[in-house]
Every structure is written in structure tokens, then in C-alpha cells.
Amino acid sequence: MSSKINGNVSPQQCPHLLDFRSRNGSKPFRALQDCIRVKPPGGRAAIRREPSEVPGCGTCEESSRPRLYACVACAAVLCHSPPLHSHASTHALSNPGHEIAVDVDRAELFCCVCRDQVYDRDFDSAIVLAQSINAIATATTSTSGATAMQCNVAGSQPENLRKRRRVDYRPWAPDSREHVIIGNHSILLHDATNASLISSTELPRGLRGLNNLGNTCFMSSVLQALLHTPPLRNYFLSDRHNRYYCQQKNGAFNGTKNSILCLACDMDAMFSAVFSGDRTPYSPAKFLYSWWQHAANLASYEQQDAHEFFISVLDGIHEKVEKDKTKSRSPGSGECCIAHRVFSGILRSDVMCMACGFTSTTYDPCVDISLDLEPNQGGSGKSSSAKSHSSCNVEADCKGSNQNCGISTLKGCLERFTRAEKLGSDQKFFCQKCRVRQESLKQMSIRKLPLVSCFHIKRFEHSSIRKMSRKVDRYLQFPFSLDMAPYLSSSILRNRFGNRIFPFDGDEQDASNELSSEFELFAVVTHTGRLDAGHYVTYLRLSNQWYKCDDAWITRVNDSIVRAAQGYMMFYVQKMLYYKASEKQAAS
Amino acid sequence: MKHSVNRPPTPDGAEDQGKEPTLQEIINIKLIESGEKERLMELLRERLIECGWKDEMKALCRAYIKKKGRNNVTMDDLVHLITPKGRASIPDSIKTELLQRISSFLTSAAL
């Protein structure tokens, strides 16, 4: 039973619960507070009158019943396993006012007359708080780790959470009239008619080397990944940003020195060139020049950081996009420009005051997730920047509790990313309820997944304290398929607390996130060598084959080479978009 | 708990003298008191998730709720629905593992 309150779906309270609340004052569950026991290993909450109580049914004296309920009104513990034994129901029916009970092993409210689970915010808050406090106390020793948050959404909802209606996929084929139109306006690729005769040794369409223009492997590696990012590729190849039309609109087509810069136009030009069928290496000089103009501080022939370049390019595409006033300019909604439509997701950050339990929740867009490989020696802790366009930095241990514990994995890093972290005494957070700075617990989770997830491994450490930089060469294992479901806000919070009330946006958002939480790896940017003298290479996965893109040289390689490579940036695309056609290389 | 609650009348001691606790009861209490039951439950939860049993049960519940309508289903309905199927579909390996754990516990507890 549910109803919408301010856009949040909360379970409707059964009449017996409402009745109970009205008769028992402002804190109807106060008596239960002392009976909440949270025990490792699972950190689950149970209800026990005494710590060592072995609950059993007061009527049939059996403790081995699967479901035991304690009446909230009189503390009687009774069994409930219909249709054979339900002394709890008997109790409820014969004692008015005693309908509400609590499952002693799950700490969940139940109405013995409606025979259904019921939810109460105050009750759930108390449970969640008890679990969190317990988790903090055992944080250093327990491996089951983190915590939970009572979620009172302090701010308003992010603007893009109006539900996007899912439209079912309908396959399309051109009719005869459309065929003619297509024929008249396309330039057939050289080998289009011989699609079935393409030998397995030929490279797939769109693979073209990029010439190094002077330490520009940082650029060619990222460009290769972008050129083969499915949604981005489709956008440009289907002429959604026409470079001729755009420049004309901006009035820059007179060839003056002050032609307006548009990185998207240069990208469009590059896509056309790379997918033209010409196999000779392409020189992205125009793109480099435009990018220099956009990122003046990085304009030099020195080696740059590939990740920095990536962020800068997305930023450049965003800034110079046609300013369409009807569209939202917020990156979070993904409607401002193609760069954000493809890469922008939303992270949720919950900060809970350890003293009173009040939680402040914020949502921030991000275009990628930066992960640490080993504990931060500088000790500066987590800092999640709230600016839009920026990647979110996160501290992550290697999997396991000590440093030499085995192979680091991407999943391990993500688990660390979404684990709750205690903000130390030097980072006290201002609690709105306590009106004072308090020690807090912070937990990140993913509110909305982007179409393409980019994971950036922080291998380059710049320590201003020690005035040195170093590179972390440690190997990171990354999967070819990745399910992001465990890192979603809904999963993180629900798995910690079971069936509690949380201000989610209803089940629909959940369901759509769950459908599309599977991702496939399609590009890996790797770095070899030292910090000051190194080389970037990109591996691309096309038609389920891997290709090594080393500046102008493209070669096919085995899976194992890719798995063994030192991943610096990994690009995953939502599986739903991982077109079947790309597995079969069929002309269509 | 509050002391001034409306407690039901304490069960008459005399009535229950004749009732012997069953072996199942005794074992259950021993398991709980030693904390072993909690550990076994965690192990079981882990195993059932790993082998996909939990997802299967979840799917069954979802299908049922979709059919009946979200507002027409109670928790008891769902428990009634999945209990027989759930019990029947537990993999033998899990049963064996747990039985083995319980068995060694009983040996060590010298029952």
C-alpha cells in the first residue's frame, strides 16, 4: 500500500498503526529503544528484552519458530506462522490496541491483523541510528564494515529527477521513399556492399591511427576512446552536430582571425575523417589547436595528463555548445550538451551527524569517478568537490585490510568508494540540528548512472608537502563486464538496513536503474613508463576483438594483453547500448 | 521495556510442568546461546545469495505482486507463496554444508 507524499512514495500506514500512534503519544516506540541489539557479524538489528534473551513464544513455549513477534503494547513474544501456529494473531484479535508487533529477529514492524509489514519513520530512524553507531564502534575490527544513514533529505530534489518515461525499443527499417532519400544524401563507403566478404584480418570500420604531433599521445589515446564511445560516435555520425551549419550560425564562416571556437565542430570533422574508410593515419592538428585555445594553460608540447585532457575536452564541448534556452544548463540533467548526456551521472553523498543522527544528503553531477589505488599517505581524507563538470575524488583502499593483501581490483575500489567513512575530528561537519560541528559519517553512492562510465585511476601523485610527484605502478585488475547495481544509492542503503522507509523517488527510478546497471568495457587508456617520460596507449574493443591503438599504429591483440595492461582510464558503456551489430559487424 | 505495561497474565507455572522441551528446542537454544546460530544464519545468507536463490525468490515475489497488484498483497501472502518453493529449491551442497557445521557444533558442545 503506498501513496505519494511530496513526490516520495511512502507506504501507507495501516489503520491499526495510525491508531496505535495516536494513542501512545509522541514517542510510541520509546520502550523499544533499549531493546535494539545490533550484533556483528552482519550488523543486523534485533529486538531483545535482555541482551542474552532467547525469545520463545509465550503460548507454545517454542523458540524454534521461524517468525517471532513481540507485541509493542505489552512486550509479549508470540509466534506467527500461519496457518498452523499464530499465537500473535490470536493475541492481536483478542486484545484491542495490541495489533502492532515487531519481528524480534528482523526489527521490522508488523500488523497482526492486516498480516502485513508496516512502516514507521520514527521506528526506522531509531533502528538505523543504532546500526550506525554499532558500525562505527566496530569499524576498525569488523570487516563487514559500514553503515547506514537515516535519510532526511535536507535540500530539495535534484531537478532532473522527474521521471523519464521509458519508451520501448521499436526496430526501424527505411521504406522505399526513405531508401531513396538515404541513397541521395549518402556517400557509400568503399566496402559497404562487400560487408560479408570482409576478411577477418581487416580492421573494422572507424579504426584509424592518429599521428603523434609532438608528445600528444595523451591526446590520441583519449580521442581513440571518444571516437569509439558508442553514444558519442552515433551522435556525430548521424549528423547531430553539423560543423558547417554550426559555424554559419555563429557567424564565423567569413574566415576572420576571430572565428568562434567550437570543439564539437572539430570533433565532427574528426569523426568524418576517421570513419571515412581512409586507413592512413590522421593528424588531429585542428583539434589540437582548438583545444589549445580552450585550455590555454595546457598549450605546450609537453606531455600532458590524459585524464586532464579528457575533462577539458568535455568541458570545452559543453561551453561552446549552442545555447539553447529551452534546455536545462545543468550538467546533471544531461540535456545541456552531448558530452554530459553521455558521461554525466549523479553521485549522492550522505553525511550523518554521529551525535543526533540527522543526515544531510546532497546530489552532485560528475563525469567520471576517480579512484585511489592505495591509502592516501598524505591523510587529507575524502574531498568531494561540488562543482559541476568535475570528477569526484575518492579514497579507496586495496581490497582487504592491509596493503599487501593481494591484487587490487576495480570492484574493490568501487566498494571502498561506497563504503561509509568517518570524517575525522579535524573535519567535523556542521550539523543543522545540533547547530554545532560534530563528528560525522559520510557515504557516497550513485544516484544515477551515466550512459558511459569512465573510471580514472589516480596513478599520479603530486605531493606539495614533500614537493615531489610519483607514479603508482601497482596493477589493477578490471573486469570486461561490470554490474554497477551494488553501488547504486538504492542498493547501498537498502542492503544495510533491509526494509526501511527511505525518501527514494519511488520504485520506478529503481527499476530503470536496475535494468541498465550492466556495463561493458569498450576502451582502456593505459600508461607505461615514468611520470616524466611515459607513453599512453589505448585498447579498443570492437566486434568483441581488442585493438591496440598506439598513436599511428593499430594492431589486433589478444584479451590477455589487455587484462595485463596498466589501466589508467577505463570506459564502460551501458550494456543496453552495446549494440548487437557491433558483435557481428553486419552491414545494415 | 516499560515496567508499567499491560502484561498478559503470567502463564501458570503448574500448567507447563508436564511439557518436556523437544530435542529441536534444546539444540536451538544451545545454538542461540553460543552465538553459533547467528554465524550460521550469516553463512546461509551468503550462500543463498551466491547461488542465486535469493534472486529467484525475489523474482517470484515480483511476478506475484505484478499479477495481483501492489496494494493487494500482504507479507503473509508472499511468505506463503515462496516458502514451499524456497525450501524445495535449496541446493544440496548448501544443505550439506550447514548440516555439517551443525553436526560439528553439536559434537563440540558435547550434546
Side-chain angles (χ1 to χ4, degrees), chain B residues 48-59:
Chain B
L48 290 177
I49 291 174
E50 276 169 10
C51 72
W53 181 91
K54 186 177 177 182
D55 291 327
E56 267 176 53
M57 294 303 116
K58 232 172 153 184

Side-chain angles (χ1 to χ4, degrees), chain A residues 135-284:
Chain A
I136 298 292
T138 55
T140 49
T141 54
S142 158
T143 49
S144 68
T147 77
M149 307 259 162
Q150 170 197 348
C151 291
N152 296 320
V153 181
S156 55
Q157 286 172 16
E159 58 182 50
N160 64 318
L161 288 186
R162 64 183 190 281
K163 297 180 196 57
R164 237 178 248 161
R165 278 190 32 136
R166 280 198 165 258
V167 179
D168 285 336
Y169 171 72
R170 280 187 299 273
W172 170 86
D175 61 26
S176 50
R177 194 181 136 261
E178 283 160 343
H179 256 300
V180 172
I181 297 175
I182 293 173
N184 288 342
H185 295 270
S186 354
I187 306 167
L188 287 178
L189 293 178
H190 183 61
D191 54 354
T193 51
N194 296 330
S196 54
L197 300 177
I198 291 178
S199 68
S200 58
T201 55
E202 275 211 29
L203 297 177
R205 214 166 281 162
L207 263 190
R208 198 174 167 186
L210 296 173
N211 282 323
N212 190 312
L213 306 172
N215 276 328
T216 59
C217 59
F218 70 92
M219 177 178 75
S220 37
S221 56
V222 171
L223 287 180
Q224 288 287 12
L226 292 178
L227 285 165
H228 295 275
T229 295
L232 206 63
R233 174 200 69 203
N234 297 347
Y235 178 85
F236 283 104
L237 290 183
S238 49
D239 210 27
R240 301 280 295 278
H241 186 100
N242 186 310
R243 58 189 179 275
Y244 306 109
Y245 184 63
C246 173
Q247 284 177 344
Q248 278 179 349
K249 244 202 165 166
N250 287 335
F253 207 56
N254 44 17
T256 64
K257 247 196 264 185
N258 300 329
S259 54
I260 292 174
L261 161 70
C262 176
L263 275 180
C265 286
D266 298 317
M267 191 135 245
D268 186 46
M270 201 164 38
F271 269 99
S272 300
V274 165
F275 280 83
S276 65
D278 188 349
R279 295 292 185 189
T280 61
Y282 173 73
S283 290

Side-chain angles (χ1 to χ4, degrees), chain A residues 1-2 32 35 41-42 44 54 60-64 67 69 74 80 82 110 114-117 507, chain B residues 1-2 5-6 8 16 19 24-25 28-29 32-33 38 42 45 62 70-71 73-76 79:
Chain A
M1 304 186 220
S2 64
L32 285 175
C35 303
R44 291 170 175 270
V54 175
C60 57
E61 305 243 324
E62 302 261 330
S63 69
S64 52
R67 287 160 75 189
Y69 289 95
C74 69
H80 179 71
F110 187 77
C114 298
R115 304 218 160 192
D116 199 10
Q117 185 162 358
D507 294 332
Chain B
M1 284 285 212
K2 281 195 279 203
V5 292
N6 300 325
D16 300 318
K19 213 171 171 185
Q24 188 186 9
E25 262 299 292
N28 188 52
I29 293 174
I32 295 177
E33 282 174 346
E38 191 56 47
E42 277 304 312
R45 281 186 192 107
R62 281 222 171 95
R70 202 154 54 162
N71 295 340
V73 176
T74 67
M75 199 174 89
D76 271 7
V79 172

